[in-house]
Amino acid sequence: MPNFTSLPPELLLEVVSHLHNPEDIRHFRLLSVRCACLARPLLFRHFGSSDRPASIHSVRRFLRILSKEPKLAKLTEYASVNWGFGDNDSHSDSEFDADMVIWDREVQDLNLRKNHPLRRTYWMRCGIDDGRDENIRLDHCYNKACIPLLLCKLPNLKTLEVVSAAIGWSSRNALWEGILNVFPALENLSWRSGSRKRYHINCIVPIIMRAPRLRSVSAAGCYGDRLQEIPTNTYFLPHTTGSITSLELSPSWLHPTSLDVLLQMAPKLVSFKSHHVAWFQVPLFWVHLLHVQDTLEVLELRVQRKSNIPSVLSRLYNFPRLKRLVADLNLVYDSSLGDALDMVLPRGLEYLEPVNGIYLGCPQKCLEAMKGIVKAKADGRMLCLKEVRYPPPPVDHPLYCPAEDARLREELKKTCVMYEVLLQYG
C-alpha cells in the first residue's frame, strides 16, 4: 500500500491547502521532510489567532525571521496581535542587541524624519532622562513600535486584529506618517481594548485611510473627540474609494464629529452599530447618518442613558433600504408619536427591536404601540416586517402591572401570528 507521504507533490499541495488551523499544519509538517517543506509557507499565512493573539515577543521573533527571508512576508494574510507591554515580554541584552540591528535598518530604510515617533529609541539611547530606568524605556518604546514595523511589511494582509490599547506616543497619527500604501489588501480590521483602558480613534483612522479594499471595521473600547482637522489629503491613498460596508463601534465613546469623519470614509456603508451614544448627541448622530441614508440596511443605535428625543425618529423614513433596526425608541414619550410610529419607520423594514428607553413611559402603552406596528401590515404600510423582538417585562417599573402586561403580551403574540410576524422576547 503506498505511503501518504509518497503522493505526488500536487496532491500533497491540494491536501495542505485545505488546512487552516495552525496546529493541523504543524502536525502535517511532522509527517516527512517533503511535507515540512510544502507546509512551511502556510505557517506564515496566519500570525496569531483570536483566542491567542501574538505577543510582542512573537512579533520580535517574526521580525527576525523576515529579516533573513523577506519573501515570507507576502504569505501572511491574517494577523492577530496583542499591542501591549507585559512582564513576559522582557528579553536579554543579547536578544535586544540582535533586535536593535534589525530595528536600526528598518527605521533607516523608511527614511523618516528625525523627530518621527519610530525614532524614539534613538532619543532614549542618547540618554534623555524622563524619570524612568533607561532599559525599561528602551524595551517599552521598541515593543510599542515593532508592531507597526511588522504590519508595514505584510503587503497581502487581509485581516488584522489588534487587542489592547496602543497608548502614549504610539497612538498618534504620526506613527503611520511616511509609511505609504501599508495595507493595500486589508479587508477586515478589528481593534478592541483588552482591559478597562481605552484607545483613541486616531489609532485606526490612518489605517482606514490607507486600506482601499477595507470592508469591515470593528472598534471596541475606542474614544475620540474631534477628527475634522485630520489632513485627509495627506493620509488618503490616491485610489481610495471608501469601500467600507460594515462599521461597528460597541462599546465606544465618540464625539459626533468623529463619527462624521468615519461615515465620510464609508459612502457604501451597509451595516452600522454604535453603543454608548450619549442621549444629547442623538440628533447629531442622525444628521451624520444621512451620509449613508441611501445604502444603510442595518442600524443598531443604543443610547447611553435611558432617554431619547422622539423628534429624531421622523428621520427613519429617509432610509429607504433599512431592513433591520435596533434602537432606543421611546414609543410613549409623545402619545401621538406612539400611535403613528409605523408611519415614520422605513417601508422596507424586516426586523425591529426596541431597547432601553422603551419603558420610560407606561409599559402597557409600549406594547400597544408594538401591536399597532404589526397591525399596520393590514393597511399596506409595514408589508416587509417579518420579525420583532421585544424586551422582557419591566418588573421594577412603577407603572408595571403583571396581569395587564401578560394580557397585552398575549394579544401582541396573537397579532403577530395573524400577520405572519415572528415574535421573540429578548
Side-chain angles (χ1 to χ4, degrees), residues 21-37:
N21 189 325
E23 288 299 322
D24 293 338
I25 298 174
R26 291 188 179 94
H27 292 157
F28 183 87
R29 290 189 66 201
L30 298 176
L31 294 177
S32 69
V33 176
R34 287 180 68 216
C35 292
C37 295

Side-chain angles (χ1 to χ4, degrees), residues 211-223:
R213 298 183 182 180
L214 193 60
R215 298 287 186 272
S216 173
V217 178
S218 175
C222 72
Y223 72 96

Side-chain angles (χ1 to χ4, degrees), residues 128-134 137:
I128 298 178
D129 186 14
D130 63 356
R132 293 183 295 174
D133 179 78
E134 183 176 358
R137 293 198 308 269

Side-chain angles (χ1 to χ4, degrees), residues 109-146:
D109 289 346
L110 290 173
N111 194 25
L112 304 174
R113 54 182 170 83
K114 288 185 178 181
N115 61 343
H116 190 278
L118 288 180
R119 290 184 176 271
R120 177 100 177 214
T121 297
Y122 297 113
W123 302 348
M124 297 300 184
R125 292 172 73 183
C126 292
I128 298 178
D129 186 14
D130 63 356
R132 293 183 295 174
D133 179 78
E134 183 176 358
N135 291 331
I136 295 178
R137 293 198 308 269
L138 284 168
D139 284 2
H140 182 79
C141 176
Y142 174 63
N143 286 340
K144 285 295 183 183
C146 66

Side-chain angles (χ1 to χ4, degrees), residues 144-329:
K144 285 295 183 183
C146 66
I147 289 181
L149 284 176
L150 171 65
L151 298 180
C152 296
K153 297 173 71 67
L154 307 178
N156 295 321
L157 188 64
K158 294 182 179 180
T159 298
L160 171 60
E161 296 179 355
V162 180
V163 182
S164 188
I167 57 177
W169 63 269
S170 59
S171 65
R172 297 186 301 184
N173 292 338
L175 181 66
W176 309 102
E177 181 185 329
I179 309 173
L180 299 178
N181 202 24
V182 229
F183 305 104
L186 190 65
E187 297 179 359
N188 305 294
L189 172 63
S190 173
W191 197 306
R192 65 185 189 272
S193 176
S195 62
R196 293 185 178 181
K197 294 181 179 179
R198 296 178 292 171
Y199 61 92
H200 201 278
I201 191 67
N202 283 354
C203 291
I204 66 173
V205 168
I207 299 179
I208 294 175
M209 291 180 171
R210 305 241 179 109
R213 298 183 182 180
L214 193 60
R215 298 287 186 272
S216 173
V217 178
S218 175
C222 72
Y223 72 96
D225 39 20
R226 296 176 181 269
L227 295 179
Q228 73 274 24
E229 298 179 356
I230 288 182
T232 54
N233 56 345
T234 302
Y235 288 99
F236 271 112
L237 291 173
H239 54 281
T240 298
T241 57
S243 46
I244 299 175
T245 57
S246 175
L247 178 60
E248 182 174 350
L249 309 170
S250 57
S252 294
W253 298 262
L254 288 182
H255 193 280
T257 55
S258 301
L259 174 68
D260 190 56
V261 173
L262 289 177
L263 292 177
Q264 289 185 44
M265 300 179 196
K268 303 176 183 178
L269 195 65
V270 174
S271 175
F272 175 72
K273 299 180 181 181
S274 181
H275 294 190
H276 288 268
V277 181
W279 66 269
F280 57 86
Q281 295 178 342
V282 172
L284 279 177
F285 265 68
W286 284 106
V287 171
H288 299 320
L289 280 173
L290 292 179
H291 287 304
V292 293
Q293 64 179 4
D294 295 326
T295 61
L296 200 64
E297 297 181 6
V298 178
L299 174 61
E300 183 171 326
L301 186 63
R302 296 176 184 263
V303 181
Q304 192 170 11
R305 297 184 184 180
K306 293 186 177 181
S307 177
N308 207 345
I309 303 175
S311 60
V312 303
L313 296 181
S314 60
R315 300 181 182 273
L316 283 170
Y317 198 81
N318 297 323
F319 293 80
R321 299 187 62 177
L322 197 63
K323 298 179 180 179
R324 185 180 180 91
L325 175 64
V326 179
D328 297 68
L329 305 178

